[in-house]
Amino acid sequence: MLSRLTSGDALIRSVLDEAFTQPTITATERAQTEALLRHRFGLDMPLFYVSFSTPAGATSPTWMWHGTTNQYHRWLNSLLHGNLGHSYREDTAVTELLRRAMQYTLPLTMLAALLGVALTFELCIWLEYHPAWRSAMLSILYAVQAMPLFVIALVLLLLLANPDVLAWFPAYGLGSLGAMSPWEGGLGQYLYHMVLPLISLILVSVPGLVIQLSASMQLELHAGYVATARAKGATPRAVVRHHIFRNALLPVLPLLAELLPNLVAGSVVVEMIFALPGMGRLLAEAASTQDYPVLLGAVLLVSLARLFSQLLADVLYQWVDPRIRLSA
């Protein structure tokens, strides 16, 4: 048996230290209780299939094969059955914790992604119609892009949720919504509390997209098909929207594919600053308490979101340019 101290072991030790404060509790009772808890959480098994350790009675360390009786195999087998385990901290199913968190984070990130993409497209097209504003607008976008997300969120709090300046929006929390989901407590009130977090996520994602897409559109202005479209009598608006814009999207699609995973990562900062329940707070609390089952489940969910975004990018490539085909 491996001798190690994992996060679950540390949690068990802390629980026992708090529970067994009575002098009548013997060391034997404490050891029995600790063994029961270790068995309940599966911490009495080796961590992986193999390990490099010193077996009982040996003098030098060697590789040991543990077969399928290990923590990783147990977790993987449970994962294939849709079971992500239980939280060490709350003794609640990880899937239930993720479900509660995603009912807040998913509307926030999806809405931020949709509004961010729409604002990027319209702003880039507007810059092509008004080239005189291009230099000033890009300078502002470069300045915003250089600011970290937590700085943007704090500036919005000081300007728009401060009684000494403008108290237009709530500074934190969800108000009377409490622990209810957005659909139970009223969508309008939920969106009212989400205005500043939404603006924060949009401001941190839009500048980079606009800068890249606008530069790509500038390169497409000199392409031969643009002169051909103008010679055929196409209006400037039609040339920009139906010719330049679609071809300029190709180099920017990888950035669009990374938008949703980046927003999920940004929600960690936003939800902590604005005291919102969601995936960000769940990840932060799980990391601070070393709640590994929750961390693994959350990381798995973020990985699936990244995989989905890459598949979406492949589909968008074929939509933008039908000549592109996926190869096996």
Side-chain angles (χ1 to χ4, degrees), residues 1-327:
M1 187 62 62
L2 296 180
S3 175
R4 66 190 182 283
L5 182 65
T6 64
S7 68
D9 294 316
L11 178 65
I12 291 172
R13 299 284 175 81
S14 64
V15 170
L16 291 175
D17 290 338
E18 294 178 2
F20 293 162
T21 57
Q22 300 296 327
T24 56
I25 302 300
T26 64
T28 302
E29 292 174 333
R30 178 188 174 94
Q32 291 175 349
T33 305
E34 182 177 346
L36 289 174
L37 289 175
R38 286 173 57 84
H39 179 72
R40 178 181 179 183
F41 289 112
L43 299 175
D44 55 345
M45 294 187 295
L47 187 63
F48 196 58
Y49 296 100
V50 294
S51 65
F52 189 71
S53 60
T54 304
T59 58
S60 60
T62 183
W63 287 103
M64 298 181 61
W65 170 254
H66 304 291
T68 58
T69 308
N70 60 80
Q71 296 182 38
Y72 177 77
H73 183 84
R74 180 181 179 181
W75 175 83
L76 184 61
N77 185 55
S78 299
L79 176 64
L80 295 177
H81 290 84
N83 180 14
L84 297 177
H86 282 69
S87 168
Y88 292 154
R89 181 168 54 93
E90 299 186 21
D91 196 22
T92 305
V94 174
T95 52
E96 175 62 20
L97 293 176
L98 294 178
R99 185 195 66 80
R100 295 178 193 170
M102 288 304 296
Q103 71 180 359
Y104 296 101
T105 300
L106 189 60
L108 175 63
T109 53
M110 291 300 295
L111 192 56
L114 293 175
L115 293 178
V117 170
L119 182 60
T120 297
F121 291 171
E122 292 302 322
L123 188 55
C124 288
I125 293 174
W126 183 84
L127 287 176
E128 295 302 318
Y129 296 155
H130 305 83
W133 289 87
R134 177 179 172 80
S135 178
M137 183 60 67
L138 290 181
S139 299
I140 295 174
L141 292 175
Y142 276 116
V144 175
Q145 187 184 27
M147 299 174 63
L149 175 57
F150 74 92
V151 173
I152 294 176
L154 291 176
V155 169
L156 291 175
L157 273 176
L158 292 175
L159 294 180
L160 301 178
N162 186 357
D164 296 329
V165 185
L166 294 173
W168 288 352
F169 302 102
Y172 62 90
L174 293 176
S176 60
L177 285 176
M180 293 185 295
S181 68
W183 321 113
E184 295 172 348
L187 184 59
Q189 187 178 358
Y190 172 77
L191 293 177
Y192 173 65
H193 286 80
M194 289 294 107
V195 170
L196 293 185
L198 269 175
I199 295 177
S200 301
L201 292 176
I202 290 173
L203 287 179
V204 81
S205 58
V206 166
L209 294 176
V210 172
I211 291 170
Q212 296 296 328
L213 182 56
S214 180
S216 181
M217 293 179 71
Q218 287 294 304
L219 292 176
E220 294 294 329
L221 282 173
H222 307 287
Y225 67 86
V226 175
T228 302
R230 289 172 176 169
K232 290 182 177 181
T235 63
R237 182 177 295 270
V239 171
V240 171
R241 286 189 174 272
H242 302 295
H243 297 279
I244 295 177
F245 177 73
R246 187 162 185 170
N247 286 279
L249 274 178
L250 286 173
V252 188
L253 285 180
L255 296 179
L256 294 176
E258 292 295 320
L259 180 59
L260 186 58
N262 291 339
L263 289 176
V264 173
S267 68
V268 177
V269 179
V270 168
E271 290 176 358
M272 292 301 294
I273 291 178
F274 292 97
L276 300 173
M279 195 73 174
R281 179 187 289 185
L282 181 65
L283 271 172
E285 292 178 351
S288 63
T289 58
Q290 296 183 340
D291 196 349
Y292 283 178
V294 177
L295 283 175
L296 287 173
V299 170
L300 177 64
L301 194 60
V302 173
S303 301
L304 291 177
R306 186 174 295 274
L307 178 61
F308 171 76
S309 64
Q310 292 174 352
L311 293 175
L312 181 61
D314 292 337
V315 174
L316 290 176
Y317 268 118
Q318 298 184 65
W319 173 74
V320 172
D321 191 346
R323 296 172 298 179
I324 298 178
R325 288 292 181 267
L326 297 179
S327 58

